[in-house]
């Protein structure tokens, strides 16, 4: 929640930060890009470290480091310090995020994960919605530095709660040398991909910086796969890589988060640069979408237990695609936004519950890292697709504003197609077998209930050492 709140609050604070520090637009953009690159690149590595050294320990380090970096940004004398500390904030945020999902898996049995996952999704939605409103009030009365000061007491309370609550930890995995080679390749590949996607709005899809970045990401990914196949202790264990529900959930989260983020990117340009609304008014106009998402998360958890992950994911994915397409004729506060919010809540709760519940024993952290990576890369992809389709192009007054408005429909239809692509991975999620126990709906490891677990869920012998 604190990570989601920090990200949306910063959007409102950036103009004031730019004026106070005398920064350029590119430097202010890097205050967001540095965080995005770092957190996306290190999530899987952080999850693996949690599986090895313990998730409560990693969570405390992450939240305290996040607080320290926030305090440093509040005292930063120049924009260079802000960029560097935002990167550090991203690193500690990467330690924190997979640990929260792993702690849910440790605290709740698989058949009871639906409710806490729904609450987590609702909390993130509330934080994302409250961010612009809180940021506007703080910046208006206390200045942009107060946006980062507010993180410190919240983080200290979270750290105290983690230390106070004891959860039973499973046997830790990866008892050999940390997979430094795989980690370095993964960090480089994700960083190259996110950096290339983040540059699409400025350069376009066919510009040399974009092509070089995407090509580099593909090449590094190929090297990573070959390295992992030969590694005695791979970063992503074979038990995880062979899990169809886990991999399908990752793909579904990527497409859904990409569609939503791209739609919000398009809405922001349309409402502010074409219709002339301010940042606060834009946030208020988008509140109904978030309200439906927050309210729909608990209902999605209940529906998943009754009808199974596959059905709810398929319905949710369809609603996301229809909602984005419906925004072409909506003012971003009508039926299209409500449908989009409801669909995204269903996808997030179902896919997250499947990811966490289907985690092979001892690998909840690395799976949590993969899940968060998908939901970080997805928005970068969605925004890149929206910008490439014309959203925000030439935004401004007069003819330029008309050009920006003209790019809205193609961008939204492209994003709707991206969301609809999630129907395939959604169809691969677990259904509800007749007569199955409730725990099977989210992939409870059968071996823990005295039954023979699928081979794909058993860590390789070499990974147990």
């Amino acid at each position: 929640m604190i990570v989601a709140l920090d990200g949306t609050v910063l959007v409102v604070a950036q103009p004031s930060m730019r004026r106070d520090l005398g920064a350029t637009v590119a430097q202010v953009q890097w205050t967001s890009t540095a965080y995005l690159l770092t957190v996306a690149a290190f999530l899987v590595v952080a999850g693996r470290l949690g599986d090895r050294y313990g998730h409560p320990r990693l969570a405390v380090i992450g939240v305290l480091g996040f607080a320290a970096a926030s305090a440093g940004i509040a005292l930063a004398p120049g924009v260079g310090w802000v960029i560097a500390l935002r990167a550090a904030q991203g690193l500690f945020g990467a330690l924190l995020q997979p640990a929260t999902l792993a702690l849910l898996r440790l605290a709740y049995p698989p058949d009871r994960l639906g409710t806490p996952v729904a609450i987590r999704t609702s909390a993130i939605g509330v934080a994302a919605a409250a961010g612009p409103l809180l940021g506007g009030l703080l910046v208006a009365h206390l200045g942009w530095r107060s946006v980062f000061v507010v993180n410190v007491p919240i983080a200290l309370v979270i750290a105290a709660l983690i230390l106070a609550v004891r959860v039973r930890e499973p046997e830790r995995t990866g008892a050999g040398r940390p997979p430094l080679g795989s980690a370095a390749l993964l960090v480089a590949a994700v960083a190259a991909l996110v950096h290339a996607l983040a540059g699409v709005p400025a350069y376009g899809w066919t510009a040399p910086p974009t092509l070089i970045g995407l090509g580099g990401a593909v090449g590094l990914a190929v090297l990573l796969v070959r390295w992992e196949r030969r590694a005695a202790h791979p970063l992503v264990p074979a038990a995880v890589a062979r899990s169809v529900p886990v991999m399908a959930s990752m793909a579904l989260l990527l497409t859904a988060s990409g569609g939503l983020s791209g739609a919000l990117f398009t809405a922001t340009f349309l409402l502010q640069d074409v219709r002339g609304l301010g940042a606060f008014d834009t946030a208020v106009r988008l509140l109904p979408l978030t309200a439906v998402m927050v309210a729909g998360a608990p209902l999605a958890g209940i529906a998943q237990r009754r009808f199974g992950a596959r059905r709810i994911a398929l319905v949710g994915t369809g609603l996301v695609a229809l909602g984005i397409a419906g925004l072409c004729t909506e003012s971003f506060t009508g039926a299209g936004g409500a449908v989009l919010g409801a669909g995204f809540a269903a996808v997030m709760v179902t896919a997250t519950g499947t990811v966490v519940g289907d985690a092979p024993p001892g690998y909840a952290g690395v799976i949590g890292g993969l899940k968060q990576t998908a939901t970080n890369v997805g928005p970068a992809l969605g925004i890149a697709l929206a910008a490439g389709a014309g959203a925000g192009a030439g935004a401004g007054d007069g003819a330029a504003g008309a050009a920006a408005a003209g790019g809205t429909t193609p961008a939204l239809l492209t994003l709707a197609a991206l969301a609809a692509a999630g129907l395939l991975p959604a169809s691969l999620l677990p259904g509800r077998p007749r007569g199955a126990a409730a725990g099977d709906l989210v992939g409870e490891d059968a071996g823990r209930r005295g039954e023979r677990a699928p081979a794909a869920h058993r860590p390789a012998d070499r990974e147990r050492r």
Side-chain angles (χ1 to χ4, degrees):
M1 185 173 179
I2 188 175
V3 175
L5 180 67
D6 186 76
T8 54
V9 164
L10 180 63
V11 173
V12 180
Q14 283 177 331
S16 178
M17 178 194 302
R18 178 189 174 193
R19 291 190 296 269
D20 184 43
L21 299 178
T24 65
V25 174
Q27 288 174 324
V28 171
Q29 181 182 0
W30 266 101
T31 63
S32 295
T33 304
Y35 177 85
L36 177 63
L37 283 172
T38 310
V39 73
F42 284 96
L43 280 167
V44 178
V45 178
R48 191 65 157 139
L49 291 174
D51 290 333
R52 177 179 170 85
Y53 297 109
H55 297 293
R57 180 182 303 176
L58 263 290
V60 170
I61 293 173
V63 74
L64 292 180
F66 196 89
S70 297
I73 294 172
L75 301 173
V79 69
W81 281 97
V82 174
I83 294 171
L85 287 168
R86 281 288 286 169
Q89 204 177 39
L91 176 60
F92 289 112
L95 293 178
L96 178 62
Q97 292 184 59
T100 61
L101 288 173
L103 289 173
L104 285 181
R105 172 65 186 266
L106 296 175
Y108 294 91
D111 60 321
R112 292 173 55 198
L113 274 173
T115 298
V117 167
I119 293 173
R120 180 182 184 272
T121 301
S122 296
I124 292 174
V126 170
L133 303 177
L134 176 62
L137 292 174
L138 288 174
V139 172
H141 296 286
L142 299 175
W144 68 268
R145 296 179 188 272
S146 63
V147 166
F148 296 96
V149 173
V150 75
N151 287 336
V152 177
I154 297 174
L156 293 178
V157 170
I158 294 173
L161 290 174
I162 295 172
L163 292 173
V165 177
R166 298 291 180 181
V167 295
R168 178 190 59 82
E169 290 200 60
E171 181 182 353
R172 295 174 188 171
T173 61
R177 186 179 60 181
L180 299 180
S182 296
L185 286 172
L186 177 64
V187 168
V190 174
L193 175 61
V194 174
H195 187 270
L197 292 174
V200 169
Y203 302 114
W205 285 100
T206 58
T210 303
L211 295 177
I212 292 172
L214 294 176
V218 172
L220 289 167
V222 172
L223 288 176
L224 173 62
V225 171
R226 297 184 64 180
W227 186 286
E228 285 278 272
R229 287 178 176 176
R230 295 196 301 264
H233 300 281
L235 181 65
V236 179
V240 174
R242 291 196 302 261
S243 175
V244 173
V246 168
M247 293 297 106
S249 296
M250 304 301 176
L252 179 57
L253 288 168
L254 187 146
T255 56
S257 62
L260 176 67
S261 297
L264 293 178
F265 173 84
T266 304
T268 299
F269 273 106
L270 180 66
L271 294 176
Q272 293 191 26
D273 292 326
V274 177
R275 300 184 181 176
L277 298 181
F280 185 84
D281 290 335
T282 298
V284 172
R285 187 70 66 91
L286 296 173
L287 275 179
L289 182 154
T290 308
V292 173
M293 184 177 72
V294 172
L299 298 178
I302 296 172
Q304 179 185 349
R305 290 195 297 272
R306 180 172 181 179
F307 300 106
R310 184 186 304 145
R311 291 181 182 179
I312 303 305
L314 287 170
V315 172
T317 302
L319 290 177
V320 171
L322 289 174
I324 294 173
L327 294 178
C328 294
T329 57
E330 293 283 343
S331 60
F332 293 93
T333 57
V339 171
L340 174 56
F344 190 75
V347 169
M348 279 294 294
V349 171
T350 305
T352 302
T354 301
V355 166
V356 178
D358 207 70
Y363 293 134
V366 70
I367 286 185
L370 286 169
K371 181 264 178 186
Q372 293 298 140
T373 300
T375 53
N376 277 271
V377 174
L381 174 61
I383 292 172
L385 287 173
D397 298 325
T408 300
T409 296
L412 290 174
L413 292 178
T414 300
L415 294 166
L418 172 65
L423 290 171
L424 176 59
S427 68
L428 301 177
L429 296 189
R432 185 178 184 179
R434 187 167 299 177
D440 293 328
L441 297 182
V442 288
E444 181 179 2
D445 180 46
R448 297 176 65 181
R449 295 188 294 138
E451 301 173 13
R452 190 165 61 91
H457 289 191
R458 296 195 205 109
D461 290 340
R462 65 188 182 191
E463 293 161 2
R464 288 187 180 273
R465 291 200 301 266

